[in-house]
Amino acid sequence: MDTMTRLAALAAECMESLWPDTEGLPAAEEIRGLLAVPPDPSMGDYAFPCFRLARPLRTAPPRIAEAMCAAWKREDVASVQPVNGYMNFFLNRVNFAAEIMSALQAQGDRYGASDLGKGKTVCLDYSSINIAKRFHIGHLSTTMIGHSLCRIYGFLGYTTVGINHLGDWGTQFGKMICAYKKWGTREGIEAGGLTEMTRLYVRFEAEAENDPALEDEGRAWFKKIEDGDPEALEIFRWFKEITLKEAMRVYDLLGVSFDSYAGESFYIDKMEPVIQDLRDKGLLTQSEGAWVVDLTEDKMPPCLILKKDGATIYATRDITAAIYRQNTYHFDKCLYVVAYQQDLHFRQIFRVLEKMGFPWAKDCVHVSFGMVSFDGEALATRKGHVVLLEDLLNQAVSKAREIIEEKSPNLENKDEVARQVGIGAVIYTDLSANRIKDINFQWDRALNFDGESGPYVQYTHARCCSVLRKAPDFSGVTPDWAALSDDEAQALLRLIGRFPDVIREAAEKYEPSMITRAVTDIAQAYNKYYYEHRILDGEPSLAAARVALTDAARSVIRTGLWLIGIEAPERM
Ligand code: ARG
């Protein structure tokens, strides 16, 4: 429990002991919301404004604060002082330090983990790339937010299922094959990979503008895939293999993996019963020859299920996939980490699932996010100027390599550290702001070792490790937590104490950036502490306490970075 929650609970207890029969007094939770941090630390660490109690008690706030302070019995947690209607709390700093430090020492690197999610399953649909398309920077957010949420939920004891819902079905694959047959060669594609595939596809689109017969040919090839024609299937599988091989290189760089690659084509033979079910439930209506689920009541356009020619679409496959996931994994939540542009699509399919009578439809959540641009340019949309994620990542690594060369010429494993720092810088930027905000990627900021950046947090972690390497063996010494009563240590301890709550909140709000924020705050607080205090000097019992605090900061920063998918080198 974080400090404020605890103080609020104790204040509520104190209030109830004084006025057990009064109605309309705030509960602990409300008090928690009212607690404030006084602007001037000499006024206390926290303050409870008693004004809210004036009405139910029909008493002036200063009298109330005085009465509460007089009745306060928990000096072990905090001493109190009434000031102008405020009940001011001064934490018992030594006890507070002892409490946080013993929690850390008991849990070690599992500090902040819990079994909150024991027996519960969360499905996470993320990354979900499209076959025959390159992995561009637009896929970074879905990949990293999804990966981070997997780790966060896993750390809280949930079983997680990471699903890469591949975009591997649709008429475009017929066109691809057609283009390949006309203008491509096996060697060309083997050598050029997705770049060559993209070139062929672009040519198809261009030529089809003047030659409508080409479209028909493309459609015919897609029909062949659908009908299981061996040649079409073989080429299609091969395209898929090439796409995945290239994607895998990016996933390896990012340290991301999946439990399932069941994409759109996986559901092809599973849609029929779902469509029948929709029909049986009277949900399908015909509209201009197509079959749709009417959503007028819900103020949404109809959800298209079957096109005029009887073909299924993206939505049909998503509805089928949701049902499949529920039947297979019995999820308690199914998260879709997909850009905000698909907001309507998800509202429609969730509503259709609800209309079908699935009570779990409410457990499906669209975790949307904004756009990534690069030095102000929206990349994914600009023709001929798509920033490929792999290039970006490799560039980040080589830039990090240069900085490391300059800063730490004697470092042993420079290549390894450059990889960790370069990739970390990109991931940090991606997860640094509220996910719905657009992100503008800038090299100077991402790689600024002194600013709010991945390298800065990693550097702080390495600094903690370096202090710990230099520290003598304190294993026989009992740390004296009184050494941690200064303002800097207390500020750090408060952040560490809150960390487990941050993880829970990040899970609740599907917001990895809350962890990024927390880990940055902790790094800043540790650096402040580091500059103000001589950690290894003085009495062993005092030095042991400061070293333990350093170890606590190290451990929490490492966990925090891990939760957002960033590695923590021990030297850099
Ligand atoms: N492949 C899609 C795209 O790149 C994203 C799929 C998201 N997941 C889903 N179940 N619809 O736009």
Side-chain angles (χ1 to χ4, degrees):
M1 196 193 295
D2 80 334
T3 327
M4 285 169 98
T5 308
R6 173 131 180 242
L7 285 178
L10 294 175
E13 235 169 65
C14 175
M15 187 184 67
E16 271 151 33
S17 73
L18 281 168
W19 305 288
D21 302 319
T22 309
E23 304 224 333
L25 291 172
E29 216 169 289
E30 190 185 342
I31 295 180
R32 168 73 172 77
L34 293 170
L35 278 186
V37 177
D40 172 3
S42 71
M43 308 272 289
D45 298 302
Y46 297 100
F48 172 44
C50 298
F51 307 91
R52 160 72 178 83
L53 276 53
R55 224 173 197 228
L57 292 172
R58 292 195 212 137
T59 311
R63 296 285 90 71
I64 299 170
E66 279 157 28
M68 296 255 306
C69 289
W72 181 256
K73 293 197 177 66
R74 298 304 302 271
E75 304 287 331
D76 61 321
V77 177
S79 56
V80 289
Q81 224 179 51
V83 178
N84 297 334
Y86 283 87
M87 181 183 193
N88 288 348
F89 297 94
F90 296 82
L91 287 185
N92 180 322
R93 294 186 160 200
V94 181
N95 285 359
F96 178 63
E99 206 178 295
I100 304 283
M101 293 307 297
S102 54
L104 250 144
Q105 290 179 330
Q107 289 169 271
D109 288 344
R110 299 277 302 156
Y111 177 74
S114 81
D115 55 7
L116 191 75
K118 204 168 158 204
K120 294 200 181 125
T121 297
V122 180
C123 287
L124 296 105
D125 178 323
Y126 65 104
S127 201
S128 301
I129 51 168
N130 299 320
I131 297 306
K133 288 218 184 115
R134 299 220 64 170
F135 211 130
H136 61 75
I137 190 174
H139 283 115
L140 181 64
S141 302
T142 167
T143 306
M144 291 326 300
I145 293 170
H147 176 61
S148 171
L149 289 175
C150 271
R151 288 194 168 172
I152 292 171
Y153 275 97
F155 204 57
L156 295 176
Y158 291 83
T159 301
T160 58
V161 186
I163 305 169
N164 198 329
H165 184 81
L166 299 176
D168 58 0
W169 199 252
T171 44
Q172 71 271 29
F173 299 110
K175 298 181 189 179
M176 284 281 337
I177 295 181
C178 181
Y180 163 68
K181 295 286 286 184
K182 277 192 178 331
W183 311 300
T185 61
R186 197 148 192 119
E187 302 71 51
I189 290 204
E190 293 288 359
L194 285 171
T195 312
E196 172 65 1
M197 278 160 95
T198 310
R199 189 187 69 81
L200 290 172
Y201 190 72
V202 168
R203 175 156 178 200
F204 183 95
E205 292 284 305
E207 303 219 359
E209 274 190 26
N210 309 315
D211 180 6
L214 214 50
E215 290 282 355
D216 293 336
E217 264 183 73
R219 254 191 294 277
W221 272 107
F222 182 58
K223 180 92 177 48
K224 283 193 182 186
I225 304 179
E226 280 185 305
D227 296 344
D229 172 83
E231 185 190 6
L233 276 188
E234 196 273 329
I235 301 175
F236 181 43
R237 277 201 200 111
W238 175 54
F239 285 173
K240 202 161 154 174
E241 204 180 283
I242 289 174
T243 314
L244 283 178
K245 210 168 86 195
E246 290 200 20
M248 228 40 104
R249 283 205 307 266
V250 175
Y251 291 139
D252 285 347
L253 272 173
L254 292 170
V256 169
S257 60
F258 300 88
D259 300 299
S260 159
Y261 284 89
E264 295 188 45
S265 70
F266 179 76
Y267 298 101
I268 295 310
D269 61 356
K270 299 174 181 58
M271 285 186 284
E272 195 39 51
V274 174
I275 295 164
Q276 193 53 48
D277 196 21
L278 280 164
R279 232 187 267 288
D280 293 345
K281 288 175 175 156
L283 293 169
L284 280 192
T285 53
Q286 209 153 20
S287 158
E288 295 165 33
W291 291 96
V292 305
V293 176
D294 184 81
L295 297 173
T296 318
E297 258 180 20
D298 307 286
K299 300 191 174 56
M300 285 188 267
C303 181
L304 184 58
I305 303 291
L306 289 173
K307 292 198 282 195
K308 252 203 294 255
D309 59 2
T312 59
I313 67 152
Y314 185 50
T316 328
R317 295 188 278 280
D318 253 332
I319 292 165
T320 308
I323 296 169
Y324 175 86
R325 289 172 190 173
Q326 176 56 232
N327 292 341
T328 309
Y329 306 113
H330 314 288
F331 62 73
D332 294 273
K333 249 183 217 302
C334 184
L335 309 183
Y336 296 80
V337 187
V338 185
Y340 73 90
Q341 285 91 338
Q342 293 192 32
D343 181 58
L344 176 64
H345 165 75
F346 286 108
R347 282 194 293 128
Q348 286 178 312
I349 67 160
F350 297 164
R351 185 65 190 123
V352 170
L353 289 165
E354 210 176 321
K355 279 178 170 282
M356 292 177 86
F358 296 121
W360 48 263
K362 61 169 189 352
D363 304 317
C364 295
V365 182
H366 176 202
V367 178
S368 64
F369 55 83
M371 297 246 295
V372 180
S373 58
F374 198 88
D375 276 333
E377 280 188 79
L379 295 156
T381 54
R382 278 192 113 217
K383 267 211 180 125
H385 190 175
V386 172
V387 168
L388 299 178
L389 190 51
E390 192 175 7
D391 295 347
L392 180 88
L393 294 174
N394 287 331
Q395 220 178 324
V397 173
S398 63
K399 283 182 191 280
R401 183 74 169 75
E402 279 167 31
I403 299 175
I404 288 166
E405 193 64 60
E406 193 189 303
K407 286 197 183 243
S408 331
N410 299 322
L411 193 69
E412 264 173 33
N413 50 344
K414 284 187 202 140
D415 288 332
E416 164 83 349
V417 175
R419 184 187 58 77
Q420 295 172 315
V421 172
I423 304 291
V426 174
I427 298 176
Y428 182 100
T429 308
D430 193 42
L431 300 181
S432 61
N434 214 309
R435 63 182 152 78
I436 202 63
K437 281 207 183 140
D438 290 345
I439 287 169
N440 183 22
F441 192 95
Q442 287 168 318
W443 281 123
D444 331 349
R445 277 183 65 182
L447 285 168
N448 181 352
F449 278 50
D450 303 314
E452 291 190 355
S453 69
Y456 170 79
V457 179
Q458 287 172 319
Y459 190 78
T460 311
H461 173 267
R463 165 171 284 161
C464 293
C465 292
S466 146
V467 171
L468 294 169
R469 277 194 299 271
K470 287 184 201 126
D473 181 10
F474 285 126
S475 45
V477 182
T478 309
D480 181 353
W481 303 125
L484 307 182
S485 337
D486 59 90
D487 291 348
E488 294 78 23
Q490 289 284 309
L492 176 56
L493 284 164
R494 277 204 285 263
L495 292 169
I496 292 176
R498 250 178 55 75
F499 187 64
D501 296 298
V502 174
I503 303 176
R504 274 197 297 276
E505 228 180 297
E508 254 167 53
K509 302 204 164 115
Y510 319 115
E511 196 59 270
S513 67
M514 299 180 84
I515 308 245
T516 315
R517 184 71 258 161
V519 98
T520 308
D521 290 343
I522 290 169
Q524 285 170 341
Y526 181 77
N527 284 325
K528 203 154 177 203
Y529 180 72
Y530 176 86
Y531 286 119
E532 299 283 335
H533 300 274
R534 302 190 63 88
I535 293 172
L536 301 176
D537 289 0
E539 281 294 307
S541 64
L542 302 179
R546 290 188 292 259
V547 166
L549 180 63
T550 299
D551 193 39
R554 176 205 58 80
S555 160
V556 173
I557 292 175
R558 188 185 168 80
T559 301
L561 286 176
W562 182 81
L563 289 171
I564 52 176
I566 298 180
E567 290 181 49
E570 292 184 4
R571 296 169 202 255
M572 59 184 272

